[in-house]
Amino acid sequence: MMSPLEVVRIPVLSDNYAWLIHDPASNETVAVDPGEAQPLLDAAAARGWSIGQVWTTHWHPDHTGGNEAMREAGARITGPGAERAKIPTLDVEVGEGDTVRIGDHVARVMAVPGHTQGHIAFHLADDGIVFTGDTLFAMGCGRLFEGTPDDMYANMLRYAAMPDSTLVYCGHEYTQSNGRFALTAEPDNQAIVERMRVVDDLRTRGEATIPTTISEERATNPFLRAPSAEKLGELRRGKDGFKG
């Protein structure tokens, strides 16, 4: 039986989360989406870990800004081959159905376009973990900078099919704003009302709301709950202009 992975949340920039994944059995460590390098390098060093890999979900600088320094520190950079031209630090290009490993733990690469067209997620199904970058957020989804509602709706269907207990590690602390919009989208959804009590309390105390779970998102995320791509697009346009 594999030893469980350790996942450490590292706040970077203004509202980003990068992640350290550590496998105690192999002593390997992966950084996910380092918007800047030093906080992750410091956190790893404090734990006696050495970062050997970076897993990149998409090209945006707040997710790749630390790649070069990570590479100089000895890490191999893996990311979406479809965005190779925008991620010059890539050492390993991956796409839909490819796999990456940390020790004996395997992550399958999912193509999840829409926020950017080459965006990928890393799904460690045996560990019940998915790193969604800027596609699935707690009570929200990413802006459609490069894709369409159809793209994002297809992503939501794939996430919704994961087991309830799957832990979702996303790229930003957007939960409070997302939840306020969710309340306007589904004002009679008592699960959202109750979740927002918890979220507001956590944020008042300066605590994080991530990771979330697929179960929580099925109950409270209007985008994951959308019955069609058309409805998701309507919601996304509403959220883009939301000032709450």
Side-chain angles (χ1 to χ4, degrees):
M1 183 175 178
M2 292 185 296
S3 59
L5 294 171
E6 298 178 44
V7 181
V8 180
R9 179 180 50 251
I10 309 294
V12 297
L13 303 173
S14 61
D15 56 24
N16 279 71
Y17 289 139
W19 304 94
L20 290 177
I21 315 169
H22 182 73
D23 174 33
S26 65
N27 204 33
E28 294 181 32
T29 305
V30 173
V32 180
D33 283 352
E36 55 182 334
Q38 203 59 53
L40 286 96
L41 292 169
D42 290 346
R47 293 166 170 81
W49 301 347
S50 177
I51 300 171
Q53 300 181 64
V54 170
W55 295 352
T56 301
T57 62
H58 65 293
W59 68 266
H60 286 165
D62 60 330
H63 292 255
T64 60
N67 280 9
E68 184 59 42
M70 290 286 190
R71 201 181 191 198
E72 290 174 359
R76 184 175 73 254
I77 313 297
T78 296
E83 297 185 348
R84 179 70 176 86
K86 295 181 177 180
I87 312 177
T89 50
L90 280 188
D91 298 306
V92 181
E93 300 178 22
V94 293
E96 174 68 35
D98 289 334
T99 57
V100 293
R101 305 178 72 93
I102 172 171
D104 291 332
H105 302 259
V106 178
R108 184 165 295 277
V109 175
M110 301 168 57
V112 284
H115 182 69
T116 69
Q117 277 307 85
H119 200 302
I120 59 175
F122 296 93
H123 183 205
L124 294 104
D126 290 343
D127 296 278
I129 291 171
V130 62
F131 293 91
T132 61
D134 284 1
T135 52
L136 177 63
F137 290 126
M139 289 192 279
C141 77
R143 284 180 180 263
L144 298 174
F145 288 123
E146 298 179 7
T148 67
D150 288 295
D151 291 328
M152 193 61 79
Y153 181 65
N155 298 339
M156 295 299 108
L157 291 178
R158 296 185 74 181
Y159 290 133
M162 293 178 180
D164 282 355
S165 60
T166 303
L167 290 168
V168 178
Y169 295 90
C170 59
H172 290 271
E173 182 57 71
Y174 288 165
T175 311
Q176 196 166 42
S177 174
N178 287 343
R180 288 169 181 160
F181 175 76
L183 285 170
T184 70
E186 297 187 26
D188 297 326
N189 186 332
Q190 192 60 32
I192 298 175
V193 173
E194 292 172 3
R195 187 175 183 187
M196 281 302 291
R197 291 194 188 106
V198 175
V199 167
D200 288 340
D201 180 61
L202 287 170
R203 297 310 294 152
T204 296
R205 292 187 277 118
E207 296 184 20
T209 64
I210 309 298
T212 178
T213 66
I214 292 296
S215 176
E216 286 182 294
E217 298 315 305
R218 283 206 199 96
T220 62
N221 188 327
F223 298 91
L224 197 75
R225 293 163 56 81
S228 66
E230 181 181 20
K231 179 61 177 178
L232 185 146
E234 176 188 318
L235 288 165
R236 188 61 258 178
R237 289 188 294 274
K239 179 63 168 68
D240 289 347
F242 184 66
K243 303 300 182 184

